[in-house]
């Protein structure tokens, strides 16, 4: 139930259509303090139009507003402040949640169109580090939010399974590798070889030439190069799938860079047909707008580049999925690459490029510095998750040793702590890696929200709650909980339109705080007359917390 829309409907009538509906929607604010009402309309923009002071305009508007939804309307300092009718609104919100349950907040704004989401995309033969966490959890959450918004998401894991680094790795394996050791611990052993290659190449730069030679062999289909590459890829995928399973993440496509090898010649042909290719220092480029450097399509030695591959991938995805939007959840450092990519597609005459969006994010820093695979300075995501689960289990053993599904709950809480720690931050911000902060079980953390859900579940069990229509007698103390519940559909809209899962995480913290405050001030189970009505509120909170956690890719334990 969107009472903001109702307020706008009233304003449209009162203002005789002087301002458009969309304009009015954007102008409505939430007052800073509760005693100033539930919504406010600022009249400053109308002062020029009516040639009156904002205060006198506010008074005139306030006098004309009459609706059972508003308990009180007042003009204060150029604002029209409205107080919602608590009983009426509470009834509507709770009845909506009771009837829709987990469907509450579902929007139809995506019109059931396809949105492709390119996320996670680790490099094979390299460990899945904490650096990959951000793209993985932001992308997964955006796919879930897109679905709630009314789109059909296609989750794509564009694996980094091609490029000069594989030439380097083949050289390193041939020089120092050991088959048994690689089979025993593939990712760690391959990382060791990769790091060793770069250490040796600093002393002996000719090694880099050898790496390039072997990558050229790989591109030309050399049998030995291909079989080593396929082996590295297979071992890596098995390791990655264990991690995705731990995080509860699935993909619709694992087409990596190599998949587009036979699709790049067509891109070059189209560019040639449209007279977009130019020669520059022996290489082939597409000239772009003045503020962008030329986009390199083919090197002087004839090898293709990331841009060629990404153009092939974009065209393939449009032809395969007919997407309305195509999202790339890739770090800030690739911003220029995507500007060039979208610009080339525009020059090629593909109008669908308008639906393509790069969703950048900040880095996870360690001691204020970027983590580097090349130098071996990585924190492995699998190890962090294992440690988080172990700490959650220790916490359970200490505080609730009688809990039946200890291991399952520890897994839900441990992985949830890691996911929430990332998603509560706005994605563009860098995050300092700190196990201590990530795994705190109080404060603004995942376990705090999960514990609030478990508390609600426990109250419903103790109160023997019956899920049926009730006369909803709402305590005054419940109003902050109602207003939080009411805002959920709007939060989903903002989260998708800003590609910002932190909107959901922040909402869950606010709802949890409001509910825990209510729990502390009202004895929910003591008054038999009011008990079922109060439990209806508890049930509604539980439904929305569970759904909000799901949209972040987290579980909601019934007991903790």
């Amino acid at each position: 139930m969107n009472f903001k829309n109702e307020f706008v409907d009233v304003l449209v009538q009162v203002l005789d259509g002087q301002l458009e509906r969309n304009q009015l929607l954007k102008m409505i604010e939430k007052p800073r303090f509760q005693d100033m009402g539930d919504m406010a309309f600022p009249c400053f923009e109308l002062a020029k139009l009516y040639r009156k002071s904002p205060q006198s305009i506010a008074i005139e508007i306030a006098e004309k507003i009459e609706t059972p939804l508003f308990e009180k309307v007042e003009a204060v300092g150029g604002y029209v402040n409205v107080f919602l009718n608590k009983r009426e609104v509470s009834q509507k919100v709770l009845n909506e949640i009771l009837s829709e349950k987990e469907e509450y907040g579902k929007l139809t704004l995506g019109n059931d169109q396809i949105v492709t989401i390119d996320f996670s995309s680790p490099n094979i033969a390299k460990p899945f580090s904490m650096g990959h966490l951000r793209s993985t959890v932001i992308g997964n959450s955006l796919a879930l939010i897109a679905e709630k918004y009314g789109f059909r998401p296609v989750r794509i894991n564009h694996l980094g399974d091609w490029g000069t680094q594989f030439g380097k790795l083949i050289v390193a394996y041939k020089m120092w590798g050991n088959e048994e050791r690689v089979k025993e611990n593939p990712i760690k052993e391959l990382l060791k070889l990769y790091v060793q290659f770069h250490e040796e190449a600093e002393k002996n730069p000719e090694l880099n030439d050898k790496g390039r030679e072997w990558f050229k062999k790989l591109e030309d289909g050399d049998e030995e190069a291909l079989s080593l590459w396929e082996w590295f890829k297979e071992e890596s995928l098995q390791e990655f799938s264990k991690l995705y399973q731990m995080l509860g993440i699935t993909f619709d496509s694992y087409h990596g860079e190599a998949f587009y090898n036979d699709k790049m010649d067509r891109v070059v042909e189209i560019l040639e047909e449209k007279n977009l290719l130019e020669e520059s220092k022996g290489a082939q480029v597409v000239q772009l707008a003045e503020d962008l450097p030329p986009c390199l399509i083919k090197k002087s030695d004839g090898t293709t580049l990331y841009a060629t591959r990404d153009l092939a991938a974009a065209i393939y995805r449009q032809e395969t999925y007919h997407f309305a939007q195509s999202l790339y959840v890739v770090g800030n450092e690739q911003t220029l690459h995507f500007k060039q990519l979208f610009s080339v597609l525009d020059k090629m005459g593909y109008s669908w490029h308008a639906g393509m969006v790069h969703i950048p994010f900040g880095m996870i820093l360690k001691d204020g510095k970027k983590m580097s695979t090349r130098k071996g300075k990585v924190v492995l995501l699998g190890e962090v998750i294992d440690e988080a689960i172990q700490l959650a289990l220790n916490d359970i053993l200490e505080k609730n040793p009688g809990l039946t599904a200890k291991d399952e709950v520890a897994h839900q809480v441990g992985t949830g702590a890691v996911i929430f720690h990332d998603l509560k931050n706005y994605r563009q911000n860098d995050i300092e890696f700190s196990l201590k902060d990530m795994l705190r079980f109080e404060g603004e953390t995942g376990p705090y929200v999960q514990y609030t859900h478990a508390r609600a579940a426990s109250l419903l069990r103790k109160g023997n709650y019956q899920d049926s229509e009730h006369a909803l007698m709402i305590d005054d103390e419940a109003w902050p909980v109602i207003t939080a519940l009411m805002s959920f559909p709007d939060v989903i809209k903002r989260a998708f339109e800003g590609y910002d899962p932190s909107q959901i995480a922040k909402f869950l913290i606010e709802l949890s705080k409001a509910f825990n405050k209510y729990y502390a001030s009202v004895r929910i189970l003591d008054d038999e007359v009011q008990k079922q009505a109060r439990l209806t509120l508890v049930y509604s909170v539980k439904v929305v917390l569970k759904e909000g956690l799901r949209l972040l890719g987290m579980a909601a334990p019934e007991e903790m």
Side-chain angles (χ1 to χ4, degrees), residues 184-416:
E184 215 172 286
N185 204 334
I187 300 285
K188 274 199 169 156
E189 200 54 40
L190 293 172
L191 172 67
K192 209 165 93 184
L193 291 169
Y194 187 72
V195 171
Q196 189 174 352
F197 179 91
H198 285 281
E199 284 169 354
E200 294 293 331
E202 276 179 26
K203 295 177 256 174
N204 177 11
E206 283 170 21
L207 269 179
N208 287 319
D209 296 331
K210 272 194 170 174
R212 280 190 285 273
E213 274 169 37
W214 270 95
F215 177 54
K216 187 81 175 76
K217 283 185 178 185
L218 187 56
E219 281 210 306
D220 295 340
D222 176 89
E223 214 172 291
E224 186 186 4
L226 270 174
S227 89
L228 282 171
W229 170 77
E230 272 167 7
W231 177 42
F232 297 158
K233 182 175 174 175
E234 212 173 289
E235 296 289 0
S236 303
L237 275 175
Q238 281 178 11
E239 289 294 303
F240 295 160
S241 63
K242 287 180 204 164
L243 264 169
Y244 292 132
Q245 218 171 336
M246 282 175 102
L247 291 166
I249 293 174
T250 57
F251 292 92
D252 302 298
S253 161
Y254 279 94
H255 289 329
E257 293 177 18
F259 176 76
Y260 298 99
N261 281 347
D262 61 354
K263 296 167 182 59
M264 289 189 285
D265 286 346
R266 180 180 163 216
V267 172
V268 177
E269 280 164 24
I270 296 169
L271 290 167
E272 278 169 349
E273 275 165 29
K274 294 182 182 284
N275 294 319
L276 292 170
L277 276 188
E278 286 183 22
E279 194 170 314
S280 171
K281 296 175 188 167
Q284 300 280 304
V285 303
V286 175
Q287 295 291 348
L288 302 174
E290 279 172 28
D291 58 334
L292 288 174
C295 183
L296 199 51
I297 299 294
K298 237 177 178 181
K299 284 189 199 168
S300 51
D301 67 359
T303 52
T304 47
L305 290 117
Y306 279 130
T308 334
R309 200 174 297 278
D310 276 356
L311 288 166
I315 294 165
Y316 172 83
R317 289 170 191 177
Q318 178 56 34
E319 288 174 349
T320 307
Y321 303 112
H322 312 290
F323 59 75
Q325 282 194 40
S326 183
L327 313 181
Y328 293 83
V329 187
V330 182
N332 278 326
E333 62 274 18
Q334 293 294 321
T335 299
L336 174 63
H337 167 73
F338 284 105
K339 279 183 182 167
Q340 290 177 303
L341 178 71
F342 302 160
S343 182
V344 174
L345 287 165
D346 185 18
K347 277 183 165 282
M348 290 171 89
Y350 293 124
S351 57
W352 46 260
H353 88 280
M356 298 175 76
V357 186
H358 171 216
I359 297 166
F361 52 85
M363 293 184 285
I364 292 190
L365 306 173
K366 191 158 178 357
D367 308 320
K369 294 186 185 123
K370 183 184 174 181
M371 299 175 179
S372 163
T373 316
R374 193 172 282 197
K375 291 177 180 155
K377 289 180 182 167
V378 285
V379 177
L380 300 183
L381 179 58
E383 288 175 8
V384 171
I385 292 172
D386 286 342
E387 194 162 339
I389 292 168
Q390 189 53 53
L391 280 167
L393 186 60
N394 296 347
D395 209 53
I396 291 166
L397 292 170
E398 186 188 322
K399 293 174 184 166
N400 190 4
L403 187 68
T404 44
K406 289 188 196 66
D407 289 335
E408 187 189 347
V409 174
H411 180 94
Q412 292 174 340
V413 174
T415 54

Side-chain angles (χ1 to χ4, degrees), residues 5-233:
N5 283 331
E6 311 258 341
F7 188 17
V8 168
D9 291 341
V10 171
L11 287 170
V12 168
Q13 285 180 323
V14 169
L15 296 169
D16 290 329
Q18 292 276 11
L19 290 178
E20 284 187 14
R21 209 170 180 288
N22 277 351
Q23 207 176 341
L24 290 168
L25 257 177
K26 283 177 190 157
M27 288 168 75
I28 289 174
E29 298 173 8
K30 186 171 170 61
R32 280 176 65 190
F33 303 105
Q34 222 176 307
D35 60 359
M36 292 168 79
D38 298 298
M39 289 181 283
F41 175 67
C43 298
F44 307 99
E45 278 187 41
L46 296 171
K48 272 188 192 170
L49 197 66
Y50 289 105
R51 299 190 175 178
K52 292 179 185 173
S53 72
Q55 176 65 20
S56 56
I57 296 168
I59 291 167
E60 282 177 32
I61 291 174
E63 282 170 355
K64 290 180 186 171
I65 292 177
E66 272 181 59
T67 164
L69 268 183
F70 300 155
E71 219 161 62
K72 184 168 75 167
V73 182
E74 60 183 23
V76 181
Y79 285 87
V80 178
N81 291 347
V82 300
F83 295 77
L84 291 168
N85 181 323
K86 292 185 174 65
R87 173 153 304 206
E88 181 119 351
V89 167
S90 299
Q91 286 269 10
K92 284 190 171 188
V93 171
L94 296 183
N95 280 330
E96 197 171 322
I97 297 171
L98 284 177
S99 64
E100 294 183 10
K101 299 191 171 61
E102 64 276 359
E103 290 289 301
Y104 176 64
K106 187 157 177 60
L107 306 170
T108 54
L109 296 166
N111 295 318
D112 205 33
Q113 297 178 101
I114 298 283
V115 56
T116 60
I117 306 178
D118 178 328
F119 68 103
S120 194
S121 312
N123 290 322
I124 66 165
K126 285 188 188 173
F128 206 109
S129 73
M130 279 304 292
H132 292 101
L133 175 72
R134 302 221 66 194
S135 173
T136 306
V137 298
I138 293 168
N140 184 54
S141 180
L142 283 176
L144 294 162
I145 295 165
E147 207 165 11
K148 191 83 172 172
Y149 188 86
F151 278 106
R152 279 186 290 150
V154 174
R155 297 160 171 86
I156 298 171
N157 196 338
H158 186 73
L159 293 166
D161 61 0
W162 205 247
T164 321
Q165 74 263 33
F166 294 103
K168 293 174 178 180
L169 192 59
I170 290 168
V171 171
Y173 177 74
K174 283 174 72 65
M175 287 176 80
W176 313 294
N178 174 297
E179 189 178 347
E180 285 311 306
R181 280 208 301 270
V182 172
K183 279 184 173 163
E184 215 172 286
N185 204 334
I187 300 285
K188 274 199 169 156
E189 200 54 40
L190 293 172
L191 172 67
K192 209 165 93 184
L193 291 169
Y194 187 72
V195 171
Q196 189 174 352
F197 179 91
H198 285 281
E199 284 169 354
E200 294 293 331
E202 276 179 26
K203 295 177 256 174
N204 177 11
E206 283 170 21
L207 269 179
N208 287 319
D209 296 331
K210 272 194 170 174
R212 280 190 285 273
E213 274 169 37
W214 270 95
F215 177 54
K216 187 81 175 76
K217 283 185 178 185
L218 187 56
E219 281 210 306
D220 295 340
D222 176 89
E223 214 172 291
E224 186 186 4
L226 270 174
S227 89
L228 282 171
W229 170 77
E230 272 167 7
W231 177 42
F232 297 158
K233 182 175 174 175

